[in-house]
Amino acid sequence: MTDGRKVISKNRKAHRDYLINDRYDAGLVLLGSEIKSIRAHRVNIGDGFVQEKGRELWLMNTHIAPYEQARHFGHTDPRRPRKLLLHRREINRIITRIRENGMTAIPLQIYLERGRAKVEIGIAKGKKQYDKRADLAKRDANRQIARALKERYSTD
């Protein structure tokens, strides 16, 4: 929890599969039962993406489980599109970036800030397979270096 944020769900595949360029914080238009499910950590954003519809941005394919205690007023479709709330200038900037070749917008995390659910979206470009392998090799090399340094200084 940083900056008054309570992180509910993270997209753990985002940094592995994409190069994240820009980040934006957006509000979500939710039903009452959806915010209750989010507070209960019953949300999955792993397959989510942001799509433009009529000069608005929509969060697609994110799963918010139906709230069990909500009767007939609860949400019935867990993967329904949810409108994102941003300033017009940010929306225009994101739309122009999405229209670029190879760029997409993905949700990075859903968090609560002052009782309101927000989503952090990132403008990203998909990594190629060789980029992923290079990242793995670099991470392994750094681990080996850290292990060697720890071993060297722990024996002294």
Side-chain angles (χ1 to χ4, degrees), residues 20-153:
I20 311 296
N21 293 334
D22 298 331
R23 295 171 187 260
Y24 296 93
D25 292 328
L28 285 166
V29 176
L30 298 172
L31 299 174
S33 60
E34 289 175 328
I35 189 66
K36 295 244 185 195
S37 291
I38 288 173
R39 286 186 179 134
H41 295 263
R42 298 184 44 122
V43 60
N44 182 6
I45 61 171
D47 297 330
F49 60 95
V50 176
Q51 185 176 15
E52 170 198 1
K53 286 185 183 176
R55 301 197 35 88
E56 293 178 340
L57 294 176
W58 293 79
L59 184 62
M60 310 294 283
N61 208 26
T62 56
H63 186 276
I64 298 177
Y67 188 62
E68 298 298 323
Q69 285 77 22
R71 300 275 168 126
H72 46 277
F73 294 114
H75 66 285
T76 55
D77 184 16
R79 290 197 182 272
R80 75 174 186 88
R82 293 165 180 94
K83 186 177 176 180
L84 293 175
L85 303 173
L86 291 151
H87 292 286
R88 173 57 51 198
R89 192 176 317 135
E90 291 175 328
I91 292 173
N92 292 338
R93 199 174 306 143
I94 292 170
I95 288 173
T96 56
R97 294 296 303 271
I98 288 175
R99 289 179 181 169
E100 289 178 20
N101 195 15
M103 300 298 277
T104 187
I106 56 170
L108 300 176
Q109 66 181 3
I110 289 185
Y111 61 93
L112 292 175
E113 187 174 75
R114 288 185 267 144
R116 292 190 167 93
K118 304 222 176 198
V119 62
E120 181 181 12
I121 60 174
I123 307 299
K125 185 172 184 132
K127 282 185 183 178
K128 302 285 186 197
Q129 191 65 37
Y130 57 83
D131 290 332
K132 293 179 191 179
R133 280 196 293 266
D135 285 347
L136 275 174
K138 187 172 18 173
R139 194 173 335 133
D140 287 343
N142 286 339
R143 276 194 199 130
Q144 287 177 354
I145 290 169
R147 205 175 294 133
L149 287 174
K150 183 178 177 184
E151 190 175 294
R152 180 175 179 213
Y153 288 113

